[in-house]
Amino acid sequence: MEPGILIITLICGMLVSRIGLPPLIGYLVAGFVLFVLGIDKESLPLLQELASLGVTLLLFAIGLKLDIRSLFKAEVWAGSSVHLILSIVVFVPILKLFGLLGLSQLTSLNLEQLTLIAFALSFSSTVFAVKVLEDKGDVQSLYGRVAIGILIMQDIFAVLFLTISKGDVPSVWAFALLLLPLAKPLIYKAFDRVGHGELLVLFGLVMALVVGAWLFESVGLKPDLGALIIGILLAGHKKSSELAKSLFYFKELFLVAFFLTIGLNGLPTVSDIALAALLVLLVPLKILLFVYILTRFKLRSRTSMLGSFNLGNFSEFGLIVAAVATYKGWLPPEWLVIIAVALSFSFLLAAPLNATVGNIYQRFQQRLIKLEKSPLHPEDRPIAIGNPRFLILGMGRIGSGAYDELREQFDGEILGIEHKQDLVDLHKAKGRNVVQGDAADTDFWEKLDRAPNLELVLLAMPHHAGNMFAVEQLKKLNYQGKISAIVQYSDDAAALRESGVHSVYNLYEAAGAGFVDHVIYELLQDSEKNAAQAEETAQVADPKINAESNS
């Protein structure tokens, strides 16, 4: 039956993907289909092991990408904490009301069980949110960074719950884990030496499953917590991003097993589906709570709304919490299926909402602006650019060189835009006029002050998509000056020219021409030098030539 399991899972995942939803919904459906065909979790112990590995690797991957500093921002740690508390405070009475209205799944539940359900429903989907941000190209935008930070905080809350749910008193040896940072130099040295192939993947699995999960479990702590902490320990290494990418498909494949096991718990009844549909009514409340909370931290209403809609869904971590709760007997088994169906419904709602969030904001803009607190967040204030003659988007090596060349040859103000604050500080120290901003981010263009005397925009960003996006935004601002851009590939150059860019500079072609020019110059120099040396040698060797030269 194993081939049939794979085929059914693949078909369900493909069908769901065709309508623009995350494949994980298809995997849940596949689990229900397999249950109808007479397969249950107990008959597939390997599937349960893979599901556990999927959750462990998910936490490890989150740790690898975690910038601890981002979690110390008030809008992230306080925003996520306040939202969690308010969600429970708001959701519990609503769930109690549903019970009083006669929904059998809720009538017999006590306050602790209702709180546990509200806790599970308070989480937002990391998988869905990151996919939406990547599709929009807004991962590095302010609202994207805030949303991802809140998601990570929610993941940490979930890991803490999983750790507490273990119920066992940790061994006294658990205190020895505090010495793990002392092993960081040794671990990093091994990280440096594993290369970039299969050894890198094996190193990651050992770190996640042995040094992380097994070591923590052996001293009485939750293995998932160990995977997260080891991931955080490795996050500062230069190859952490490469390791996360190399483990990506392992994690995704094992998580397929997790979602399958949810469906194998049993089919939802009609009343379960009805209740799941009612629970989706909590999603707008989640969004409103996020909007209100984020504006309290002085983010613009637009930033708050974009981030809130990105977080407006239920989460796979809510499923993990529900799975633990049902396994421990804290919740009736049907609640795992109910939350799984509610998760699927929330994705069906969140997809069109995120696609139309801009229009929704425009409709309610005047009301939403009233929620803003002054002064605005330092990263969310209008960007004052003065009145430059030249604007350079992307202040890497090429952008910096262009800036210096323009400064030498032309009069007029020059402004550079760079999204990395450390580079902005470096440029300012060198006397360049540079401000922080990400030209591949819609927020940047919304906050940008107008420059009436702008003559030339240089697109020096490394990614073609970012340059194309900047061209589109300049058109929306009715910019009438010249645009120049750098590209790496000839087809990118054609696309930029079609979009209205006046001149395109191909890095590879220009580098090749420059290399040949340099070589020819060096060869000519060497040839002239050798000729001069030969003539000098000949004069020294032949007194007659020397005498003629003197005469």
Side-chain angles (χ1 to χ4, degrees), residues 242-361:
E242 182 184 352
L243 177 58
K245 291 177 182 177
S246 67
L247 292 176
F248 176 80
Y249 291 109
F250 283 93
K251 177 198 69 176
E252 294 294 296
L253 186 61
F254 294 156
L255 282 175
V256 171
F258 171 77
F259 292 116
L260 280 176
T261 59
I262 300 300
L264 290 173
N265 280 279
L267 281 177
T269 63
V270 174
S271 60
D272 289 342
I273 295 173
L275 177 55
L278 282 175
L279 292 179
V280 175
L281 296 177
L282 299 177
V283 168
L285 289 176
K286 287 183 70 170
I287 293 174
L288 290 174
L289 285 174
F290 270 123
V291 170
Y292 181 79
I293 291 168
L294 293 178
T295 52
R296 298 312 90 192
F297 290 101
K298 301 184 177 182
L299 292 173
R300 288 188 306 147
S301 56
R302 183 179 183 277
T303 304
S304 302
M305 191 166 180
L306 288 171
S308 301
F309 271 64
N310 197 242
L311 298 167
N313 46 63
F314 296 136
S315 171
E316 57 277 5
F317 264 107
L319 275 180
I320 294 172
V321 169
V324 172
T326 54
Y327 175 76
K328 293 284 187 178
W330 298 338
L331 286 176
E334 66 264 21
W335 269 100
L336 181 57
V337 176
I338 292 170
I339 292 177
V341 176
L343 169 72
S344 303
F345 286 168
S346 76
F347 285 174
L348 291 171
L349 176 65
L353 282 179
N354 276 276
T356 59
V357 62
N359 295 331
I360 296 173
Y361 175 75

Side-chain angles (χ1 to χ4, degrees), residues 404-423:
D404 294 338
E405 192 68 21
L406 284 170
R407 185 164 54 180
E408 287 184 11
Q409 296 192 25
F410 297 96
D411 295 327
E413 185 177 349
I414 307 167
L415 177 67
I417 304 292
E418 172 57 48
H419 75 280
K420 296 179 181 178
Q421 186 60 51
D422 54 344
L423 283 181

